[in-house]
Structures are given as structure tokens and as C-alpha cells.
């Protein structure tokens, strides 16, 4: 994965996700995209890709160490990838607290930081 960090959590990235995430994210892996970092807590990074608006369902991307996953926002289920159970529980707890805000962010594409889990 190649990334260039910069500008308040916005990351200019290419090959954004490792191939294990499947075909639906091939556009992210092969093109340059902006990926705002929405939150970071306990070593977990939550991002939402600008181009995701074009391919439902609404979702967030989770990175924890070498683990990556995608969580859909309606039912808060992991739909791609794998993360450790405790990480999944923490992200779900955080996402439940901010679910409506995350859905509105997806729909509006107006990205901003969200408070991390305490």
C-alpha cells in the first residue's frame, strides 16, 4: 500500500486496499483517490472514500494493523475483510453512537472528523 499523508487527515493514496478485499474495491486499488480519515482510536483508523458514493451500500473502511475491513452503515455488519473481534466490537460501539452522522456524511460527501471512542 502506498500513501502520502497530508492536509488534516486527507490522504492521497493509490492501491488503497490490499487485493484481499475483493473486486468491488478495484477502483480504489488502481486509481488515485482522496480518503478522508473520519476517526482514529485505539490504533483503529476509520475512513470514508470520496468515490464510495458511487457504489452502495453506504459503508466505512476500517484499518487496524495489517487488518482491513468494510462495515456497512445500515446494520453495522462487516461486509468485506476481517478484523479482530475486539476491534470489531469497538468500531461497532463507535459507529452505533455516530450512525446517523455517518449516513449523513456519506449522503452529503461533507467529510469531517468524528469524536473517537473514549
Amino acid at each position: 500500500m502506498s500513501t502520502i499523508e497530508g492536509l488534516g487527515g486527507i490522504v492521497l493514496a493509490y492501491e488503497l486496499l490490499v487485493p484481499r478485499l475483493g473486486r468491488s474495491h478495484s477502483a480504489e486499488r488502481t486509481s488515485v483517490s482522496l480518503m478522508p480519515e473520519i476517526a482514529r482510536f485505539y490504533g483503529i483508523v476509520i475512513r470514508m472514500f470520496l468515490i464510495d458514493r458511487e457504489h452502495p451500500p453506504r459503508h466505512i473502511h476500517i484499518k487496524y494493523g495489517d487488518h482491513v475491513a468494510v462495515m456497512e452503515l445500515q446494520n453495522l455488519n462487516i461486509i468485506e475483510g476481517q478484523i479482530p473481534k475486539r476491534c470489531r466490537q469497538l468500531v461497532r460501539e463507535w459507529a452505533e453512537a455516530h450512525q446517523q452522522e455517518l449516513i449523513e456524511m456519506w449522503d452529503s460527501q461533507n467529510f469531517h472528523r468524528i469524536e473517537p471512542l473514549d
Side-chain angles (χ1 to χ4, degrees), residues 4 10-11 23 40 42 44 59 62 72 81-82 87 89 93 97 99-100 103 106:
I4 302 169
I10 302 293
V11 177
R23 283 183 256 152
R40 180 183 295 251
Y42 302 117
I44 303 165
H59 59 275
I62 305 157
E72 59 89 16
Q82 291 183 321
C87 177
Q89 292 168 336
E93 179 182 340
Q99 189 171 16
Q100 189 56 45
I103 289 171
W106 172 283

Side-chain angles (χ1 to χ4, degrees), residues 62-104:
I62 305 157
K63 179 158 178 39
Y64 178 69
D66 291 334
H67 303 276
V68 290
V70 176
M71 177 181 278
E72 59 89 16
L73 295 176
Q74 191 63 40
N75 298 314
L76 304 178
N77 293 320
I78 298 294
I79 57 174
E80 290 187 42
Q82 291 183 321
I83 51 178
K85 182 179 180 180
R86 183 65 181 139
C87 177
R88 187 175 65 246
Q89 292 168 336
L90 291 169
V91 172
R92 187 177 179 98
E93 179 182 340
W94 173 83
E96 284 175 351
H98 300 284
Q99 189 171 16
Q100 189 56 45
E101 184 176 5
L102 288 164
I103 289 171
E104 289 171 8

